[in-house]
Amino acid sequence: MTVSTIDRPALTPDAGASGTPSAAAAVGPAPTIAVLIPCYNEEAAIGKVVQDFRAALPDAIVYVYDNNSKDRTVEVARAAGAVVRSEPLQGKGNVMRRMFADIEADVYVLVDGDDTYHAASAPELVKRLWDEQLDMVNGARVTEIVAAYRPGHRFGNLVLTGMVAKIFGSRIGDMLSGYRVFSRRFVKSFPALASGFETETELTVHALELRMPIAEVKTPYKDRPPGSHSKLNTIRDGIRILRTIIILVKEERPLPFFSAAFGLLALLSVILGVPVIATYFQTGLVPRFPTALLATGLMLLAFLSLTCGLILDTVTHGRREAKRMSYLSLRAPGHHRPLAAERGDERR
């Protein structure tokens, strides 16, 4: 399968003779494709990654964004034929924000520079996105190599993906995959607020919150080549991703978030207050006055939390509408009929 399968067909002799475009002419040109590779100290792998993606997507432009590498990543990537740029703010999320802002294309292929993802699957992912007019196709990792996908990483991915699925919707099975294909309207409507590896979580939640058309395709996954080392810290980055999920729940689901806080505070208030009230009814006295004040304060905080949730839920609804309108202002991926032809149909 090659990208040529989504190229524009030749015009038929009938086109233009009657002033009406043929079905083939209505298909439109092939998409412009950009391969985006964020890199940090990937001298051992980046050359092969660039070469493999140039072979798999010969019409695409391969961009390597260097993130303060201390080795020869820049020289190797440039020698392999990539367009090399740099982002001084450290962190994958910062690099992605810069890439998404700078590069103009119809289709964006995002992949890590560690040579663990299957470049030969890229045409299938691009074709799926373009033909089905999707906004994201996620490359779900499939491997039997223990060193490539360590049990700790696999378990953490299952837990974190499950949390996101429970809260935002179960449409992605490998939330932390670094291999994805995006439409232009996804990229240009994505706020990119994360700074590190938690950016994959942000990408997934953005697609789920706007209910974008997305898909997931299983792709082979392998271990790193000799001399290449992972920058991912299982504990530290796992905690950062978990924190990001909590923040996203607060921002995108404020009513359930603050309702949970309301329930917890109200429960503590009742636990502390019931004995005080029981004593008052028995003796007419309040001997544990500080406890009574604490219970009262907790109940006030509980209702304040619930009020915050109700207000922020309205604000979030307005933000979601604004994001949706920004997303809809960009043209959908895939083949389109010319606007003149559509207007001609309407007149007939």
Side-chain angles (χ1 to χ4, degrees):
M1 183 182 297
T2 65
V3 181
S4 61
T5 59
I6 57 175
D7 287 348
R8 180 180 181 175
L11 299 182
T12 63
D14 295 335
S18 61
T20 302
S22 67
V27 170
T32 57
I33 303 172
V35 179
L36 312 181
I37 310 176
C39 263
Y40 174 63
N41 291 342
E42 294 292 359
E43 174 187 351
I46 189 59
K48 187 172 185 303
V49 175
V50 172
Q51 292 169 1
D52 288 350
F53 275 89
R54 290 188 68 196
L57 299 170
D59 296 327
I61 300 176
V62 179
Y63 296 89
V64 171
Y65 270 67
D66 178 64
N67 196 206
N68 303 315
S69 295
K70 306 299 189 296
D71 59 8
R72 296 179 60 254
T73 294
V74 171
E75 292 88 341
V76 173
R78 188 173 286 122
V83 176
V84 180
R85 296 176 180 174
S86 63
E87 171 50 53
L89 290 177
Q90 196 68 39
K92 185 176 181 179
N94 291 322
V95 178
M96 285 182 51
R97 185 185 306 113
R98 180 69 179 272
M99 292 190 299
F100 284 5
D102 289 356
I103 297 172
E104 300 293 332
D106 295 319
V107 177
Y108 299 78
V109 180
L110 176 68
V111 67
D112 292 341
D114 54 10
D115 193 27
T116 57
Y117 292 98
H118 191 235
S121 297
E124 177 188 357
L125 302 181
V126 171
K127 188 175 188 301
R128 179 86 182 266
L129 179 132
W130 195 252
D131 287 351
E132 299 181 20
Q133 293 188 293
L134 306 176
D135 286 304
M136 182 178 76
V137 178
N138 190 54
R141 294 167 287 182
V142 177
T143 184
E144 299 298 330
I145 305 173
V146 176
Y149 200 4
R150 288 176 286 177
H153 290 178
R154 192 185 299 267
F155 175 74
N157 188 18
L158 287 173
V159 171
L160 295 171
T161 299
M163 290 178 62
V164 169
K166 192 72 175 177
I167 299 167
F168 297 100
S170 181
R171 300 174 64 194
I172 294 293
D174 185 5
M175 181 187 72
L176 302 182
S177 173
Y179 193 15
R180 306 184 189 217
V181 177
F182 304 105
S183 68
R184 174 182 171 80
R185 68 178 179 180
F186 182 106
V187 167
K188 297 305 180 180
S189 67
F190 178 62
L193 302 177
S195 59
F197 284 107
E198 64 273 20
T199 188
E200 277 96 359
T201 304
E202 197 179 31
L203 286 167
T204 301
V205 172
H206 179 65
L208 296 176
E209 271 297 275
L210 292 187
R211 300 177 186 176
M212 295 180 181
I214 61 176
E216 189 167 63
V217 176
K218 293 183 178 181
T219 58
Y221 187 68
K222 60 182 179 178
D223 53 346
R224 285 171 169 265
S228 177
H229 305 284
S230 175
K231 317 305 183 297
L232 181 67
N233 183 289
T234 305
I235 304 299
R236 182 195 64 208
D237 290 306
I239 292 173
R240 290 183 66 178
I241 293 168
L242 180 60
R243 183 184 63 187
T244 299
I245 293 173
I246 294 172
I247 292 173
L248 288 171
V249 172
K250 176 181 70 69
E251 294 179 350
E252 303 297 339
R253 297 285 193 275
L255 186 55
F257 181 87
F258 284 98
S259 293
F262 163 78
L264 179 61
L265 291 169
L267 178 62
L268 289 174
S269 176
V270 170
I271 291 173
L272 292 172
V274 165
V276 175
I277 294 172
T279 302
Y280 174 77
F281 280 120
Q282 291 173 0
T283 64
L285 301 175
V286 184
R288 290 181 292 177
F289 196 65
T291 303
L293 287 177
L294 178 59
T296 303
L298 288 173
M299 188 59 74
L300 290 174
L301 286 175
F303 278 97
L304 181 61
S305 177
L306 183 61
T307 303
C308 287
L310 291 169
I311 295 171
L312 291 175
D313 187 64
T314 302
V315 173
T316 299
H317 185 75
R319 285 178 53 247
R320 193 177 297 123
E321 287 181 341
K323 287 165 64 176
R324 181 71 183 177
M325 295 305 295
S326 174
Y327 161 79
L328 292 175
S329 68
L330 300 165
R331 195 166 191 177
H335 301 306
H336 302 277
R337 298 187 63 189
L339 292 178
E342 293 175 4
R343 289 170 185 153
D345 288 345
E346 289 174 1
R347 285 194 294 268
R348 289 193 294 274

